Amino acid sequence: MAAKFILAFDQGTTSSRTIVFDHAGAIVAVAQREFRQIYPQPGWVEHDAAEIWFSQLETAREAMRKAGLTPADVAAIGITNQRETTVVWDRTTGDPIHNAIVWQCRRTTETCEAIKADGLEETFHQKTGLVVDAYFSGTKIKWILDHVDGARERAARGELCYGTIDSWLLYKLTGNHATDYSNASRTMLFNIHSLQWDPELLTALDIPAEGLPGVHPTSHVFGETTLLGGSIPVASVVGDQQGALFGQAAFEAGASKNTYGTGCFLLMNTGTEPVASSKGLLTTIGWGLEGQVTYALEGGVFVGGAVIQWLRDELQLIANAAESEAIAGTIPDAGGVYIVPAFVGLGAPYWDMRARGVITGLTRGAGRAHLVRAALESIAYQSADVLRTMVQETGRSIPVLRVDGGACANNFLLQHQADVLGIPVERGQTLETTALGAAFLAGLATGFWTSTSAIADTWKLDRCFEPRWSEDQRQQALSGWADAVNRSRS
Ligand code: ADP
């Protein structure tokens, strides 16, 4: 009997999960384990890489048990992972030489300042598509090599492996040291044009090339694992946001998705050519598939769903996030009230780290419902700012926006998003798009799915939000928002 299922390993920032998908892309079983967040000092964040590995393996076993699967039932494993988080381990023993340094960790800020002071920022930007920031893996690898006794010498002798979480899991599963284009493009060491580790960047960060993983297409048989009771191919590796773009079947240039979580992550497929941004968007590799690389533009909203947590925890205006939808619906509009939740500055296209939050347009009649509504609207306006920048920089229009993430349960938010963008917003039936993307990519590498069009057919609409505003209404709302943003700027 041919194998009927794909296992997606979804290794996230706070938990490891395994999801079993069937051929229709439907979820058959889920298992999840949380693991420790380690905060050695303010601004520093670490994970225990061994704990990540064991939690992932346990969820795989549990998900197979729940679904009643034997290894013969599993066509392939796909991996999607928290991006940029960095592990360095001993090539022979497989033991990490330091805790994993998490993407959020700011400990390498000074290294990044030094790179800028040396005038190398533009070189990094041009080659990697990224801005120089502690977020990305390169300076994290350097930090571990600089701070663990003997690490630099061992690295030069080829005794260490370094990589992102996907590489760590792959190594544990298969014994191979590898990664894919989507993850490599987040290291600040990978040339996204030549598709190779860049010697000049490695020299700038003093990182010996010996420990780097081999880079492969995203949909590719990376090896086999026997740890689940029989031999199963590991057939995809994809960074979480790129996985979500793939899981949304965003296969054509211009196809875009927004993930509404604590922050928002917007990605637009830009086709086979990378588009450089001058407004602080990141150019990244979406995936490598069938001998070709697909590029994407990426932009973030720092405070997305977090503004709803702020309403709940700080202002105590709502009891829970879901309640915000009904409250916003009790009034016909926000009455001219805008909230700009620039709590930690503003991202693209403003990049103003000193901007701070403001509430504008308050009148005596403004009350709880106006504030709740304005907070939800702010998520849509900020996302619209990023999408508009993508349209400007690519010269492509976005026909429709596909959405996922916890806050996309909110119908009011999605309707407002459609209204301010003037395009339809589509919510699919599967909200686990990240894991689904990894499953699709693994299925394509193993013949479980035969083409992207076969995959696109499995994408099922839950609800489409059509734009309702006239162009005048849209411009008026956007100019009120622009005015509020101006007042928040430093
Ligand atoms: P993350 O992956 O970043 O932890 P999730 O995708 O789980 O985030 O989404 C959680 C975020 O979504 C929280 O910030 C929460 O305030 C927000 N949220 C959840 N449900 C709703 C809702 N119904 N309306 C508005 N915001 C919501």
Side-chain angles (χ1 to χ4, degrees), residues 14 259-263 304-310 312 321-325 376 379 404-411 413:
T14 56
T259 300
Y260 299 85
T262 311
V307 73
I308 303 304
Q309 291 166 259
W310 175 70
R312 184 194 62 194
E323 195 188 33
S324 62
E325 180 175 343
L376 283 171
I379 305 174
D404 48 51
C408 91
N410 193 306
N411 296 317
L413 168 63

Side-chain angles (χ1 to χ4, degrees), residues 387 398-401 417-425 465-467 474:
L387 276 177
I398 297 177
V400 39
L401 179 67
Q417 188 71 81
D419 291 340
V420 299
L421 288 172
I423 60 169
V425 168
F465 298 82
E466 294 286 347
R474 213 166 75 78

Side-chain angles (χ1 to χ4, degrees), residues 144-155:
I144 296 175
L145 296 183
D146 285 344
H147 289 83
V148 175
D149 265 355
R152 196 156 274 297
E153 296 70 35
R154 290 167 70 195

Side-chain angles (χ1 to χ4, degrees), residues 305-324 327 343 368 371-372 375:
V307 73
I308 303 304
Q309 291 166 259
W310 175 70
L311 290 183
R312 184 194 62 194
D313 302 338
E314 257 47 65
L315 302 190
Q316 301 183 359
L317 287 181
I318 53 175
N320 55 62
E323 195 188 33
S324 62
I327 296 172
F343 302 149
R368 171 178 179 241
L371 291 175
V372 171

Side-chain angles (χ1 to χ4, degrees), residues 353-419:
M353 290 306 147
R354 292 203 185 86
R356 284 298 174 264
V358 295
I359 303 176
T360 67
L362 290 175
T363 59
R364 179 64 183 81
R368 171 178 179 241
H370 297 87
L371 291 175
V372 171
R373 186 166 174 132
L376 283 171
E377 292 185 357
S378 77
I379 305 174
Y381 286 122
Q382 293 180 94
S383 299
D385 283 343
V386 176
L387 276 177
R388 195 171 47 249
T389 310
M390 288 179 172
V391 167
Q392 282 165 2
E393 296 208 298
T394 58
R396 284 183 193 283
S397 61
I398 297 177
V400 39
L401 179 67
R402 288 192 168 170
V403 299
D404 48 51
C408 91
N410 193 306
N411 296 317
F412 170 82
L413 168 63
L414 298 190
Q415 183 59 55
H416 196 70
Q417 188 71 81
D419 291 340

